[in-house]
Amino acid sequence: MKSANKRAAFALVGVLSLAGTLTACGSSSDAADEPEGPVTIEVSIDAGLEQAAIDAFDERIAQFEEANPDIQVETKEFTWSGTTFAAELAGGTLPDVFPIPFTDGRALIERGQIADVSDLVAELPYADQFNPTIAAAGQDAEGGMWAVPIAAYNQGLHYNRALFEEAGLDPDNPPATWDEVREAAKTIADKTGQAGYAHMTQSNTGGWILTTETYALGGRVVEGEGDDITATVDNDATVAALEMLREMRWEDNSMGSSFLYDWGTINQDFAAGKIGMYVSGGANYPNLFTQNQMNPDEYGVTVLPLEGADAGTLGGGTLAAVSSAASDAEQAAAVKWIDFYYISKLTVEEQAVAEAEVAAETDQPVGAPALPIFDRETYEQQQSWIKDLVNVPLENFAPMTDQMFDQPVIPEPAVATQDVYAALDPVVQAVLTDENADIDALLADAQTQVQGLLDRS
């Protein structure tokens, strides 16, 4: 998801938050084909942003238009959602440039539902420098990049430092095992009255996070590749994850009273100090700050506990796609925008600094760590360029950044991803709302449903 985590990534992943803040003019997109004559493109902007974030976005548009006088940029509010995206796509209501989670890339490419901009992207100077695993999400079977990776994430355990302190826990030493997560959740609930641990359950996010927990315990929800993909939902790791949730909910009473969270609503309650811990994309801080007014001093994030021989953290990200209805000139302009807005800040010092300056001037997050879409060296170099402008409490991210490069990152299910997550939502909901829920029966039913989805795909 988005990152997942919209989501999420994508728990799940939106424009400003998933890709970071804004890039600068003078990007490297001169390599892309020049649009012939004046052209107008519509680009997406997250719904619900504060005015400062909107002002920063408008400033970047002005700089882009100054550098590209034959291109006019208009904005349209859009935040990807698994429950509405298909209808928006079918209805032709999407902007010319819009973000999608990694999980949607291959299917949209195979069905020709986004524009083939691979020739334009191939002309960009960094086109062959993406992390190959990340690049694959936006490529067709021949390796052509139809959608450009703009952000990546690995799942993290987000926690409220203020609630930790109120509960007598050390926010600089967050839980390192799932048993410690459970213990901390109960302590927070007992000492503060807030939910110690919360879980997304709807709009495909329940399945997304359950899959994350399964991976972290060494299991998988699907196995195989190509035409030989099998559902493996009913496995020991998923059972263990659900048993943990059942015990936290019904024995420890540490999960509060809200059990219909999606990505947006869980962010709201976490930022408001109502949740001690939850799992979502590790690069979620910009969303929490710009959309939910998270107090930076109260924010903490660490890597997920990994237990089991094949354990790993679920990884995903966001792609920038171009509408299949866009003309050739609009597609060329769209690739210029993608390069300018999302990518050049990661590869060119001048752009990185200029982007950070605008973000800092408008009180937007600068320097919030994220899993890099290129290599670690490129990421660390970009961070060094902007170090004097960083305005986020990097020490609060240290439990994540000190370990994230050492954790195995496991891709999301490659086939029918959102449908698989949707099939698992009711399983999580049942365990959290019915004390007598039969986990074995729920997983057996989900196993059959997911296999059917894979067969049809």
Side-chain angles (χ1 to χ4, degrees), residues 122 152 162 184 290:
T290 61

Side-chain angles (χ1 to χ4, degrees), residues 42-391:
E42 191 174 58
V43 304
S44 60
I45 182 172
D46 269 350
L49 295 178
E50 291 186 310
Q51 189 58 48
I54 296 171
D55 292 343
F57 194 93
D58 289 342
E59 174 64 20
R60 304 315 298 153
I61 289 176
Q63 293 186 0
F64 176 79
E65 291 177 340
E66 182 179 358
N68 299 275
D70 287 335
I71 304 175
Q72 181 77 24
V73 177
E74 299 178 353
T75 62
K76 181 173 185 176
E77 288 191 349
F78 169 78
T79 300
W80 185 93
S81 168
T83 56
T84 61
F85 177 72
E88 292 170 315
L89 182 68
T93 61
L94 296 171
D96 295 312
V97 182
F98 53 91
I100 56 173
F102 278 11
T103 53
D104 278 21
R106 281 294 180 88
L108 293 172
I109 291 168
E110 290 172 1
R111 294 193 294 262
Q113 291 178 301
I114 58 176
D116 178 3
V117 294
S118 57
D119 288 343
L120 295 166
V121 174
E123 295 176 8
L124 298 172
Y126 48 77
D128 60 352
Q129 297 174 19
F130 288 99
N131 179 317
T133 301
I134 289 173
Q139 292 175 332
D140 61 19
E142 289 72 42
M145 186 172 286
W146 289 45
V148 180
I150 57 174
Y153 72 88
N154 54 338
Q155 297 284 60
L157 179 67
H158 304 263
Y159 61 97
N160 187 298
R161 293 175 61 89
L163 289 179
F164 265 58
E165 291 178 348
E166 185 179 345
L169 301 171
D170 183 358
D172 293 327
N173 291 286
T177 68
W178 286 106
D179 283 345
E180 291 178 3
V181 170
R182 181 180 175 186
E183 292 169 4
K186 180 169 173 48
T187 300
I188 291 168
D190 289 347
K191 297 290 183 64
T192 73
Q194 303 297 344
Y197 183 80
H199 203 288
M200 301 183 218
T201 61
Q202 62 177 353
S203 301
N204 306 358
T205 61
W208 177 46
I209 302 304
L210 180 60
T211 298
T212 297
E213 293 159 341
T214 297
Y215 283 8
L217 293 171
R220 304 290 186 272
V221 296
V222 300
E223 290 185 350
E225 57 185 27
D227 295 330
D228 186 23
I229 300 181
T230 303
T232 56
V233 169
D234 193 357
N235 66 79
D236 291 344
T238 307
V239 171
L242 290 169
E243 286 287 358
M244 178 183 70
L245 294 178
R246 183 191 64 76
E247 292 165 354
M248 293 172 72
R249 164 68 174 97
W250 297 104
E251 295 180 17
D252 300 346
N253 193 28
S254 63
M255 297 188 68
S257 58
S258 296
F259 305 109
L260 289 176
Y261 280 124
D262 60 14
W263 184 78
T265 54
I266 204 168
N267 284 345
Q268 291 171 5
D269 277 4
F270 177 73
K274 298 178 180 179
I275 295 170
M277 297 175 288
Y278 76 117
V279 173
S280 188
N284 202 29
Y285 175 79
N287 287 90
L288 293 166
F289 181 84
T290 61
Q291 294 182 285
N292 305 112
Q293 297 78 55
M294 180 83 198
N295 182 340
D297 294 333
E298 296 182 358
Y299 177 76
V301 63
T302 186
V303 294
L304 293 184
L306 301 185
E307 302 173 9
D310 296 320
T313 180
L314 181 147
T318 304
L319 302 164
V322 178
S323 170
S324 60
S327 67
D328 289 347
E330 290 166 343
Q331 290 179 28
V335 171
K336 278 182 165 290
W337 171 256
I338 291 169
D339 173 41
F340 172 88
Y341 182 67
Y342 295 112
I343 305 296
S344 290
K345 65 177 179 179
L346 305 177
T347 60
V348 180
E349 181 174 5
E350 180 184 359
Q351 280 83 344
V353 172
E355 180 270 343
E357 288 175 341
V358 169
E361 288 169 1
T362 53
D363 196 30
Q364 302 305 297
V366 178
L371 195 68
I373 62 174
F374 296 111
D375 57 27
R376 181 174 182 173
E377 181 181 359
T378 302
Y379 169 79
E380 291 178 345
Q381 182 180 55
Q382 188 266 351
Q383 291 292 92
S384 72
W385 292 334
I386 63 172
K387 64 181 181 179
D388 293 337
L389 295 162
V390 170
N391 59 9

Side-chain angles (χ1 to χ4, degrees), residues 391-457:
N391 59 9
V392 301
L394 291 179
E395 64 276 9
N396 292 2
F397 295 82
M400 168 67 79
T401 55
D402 288 349
Q403 303 176 76
M404 71 178 184
F405 290 105
D406 299 324
Q407 287 200 314
V409 177
I410 302 169
E412 297 178 81
V415 175
T417 314
Q418 298 300 331
D419 292 332
V420 171
Y421 292 159
L424 294 175
D425 275 3
V427 177
V428 181
Q429 291 172 15
V431 170
L432 295 182
T433 58
D434 180 1
E435 186 172 5
N436 298 313
D438 187 334
I439 290 175
D440 290 338
L442 289 166
L443 287 181
D445 289 345
Q447 173 88 8
T448 300
Q449 185 177 352
V450 169
Q451 188 60 57
L453 292 167
L454 298 177
D455 291 342
R456 288 194 293 274
S457 294

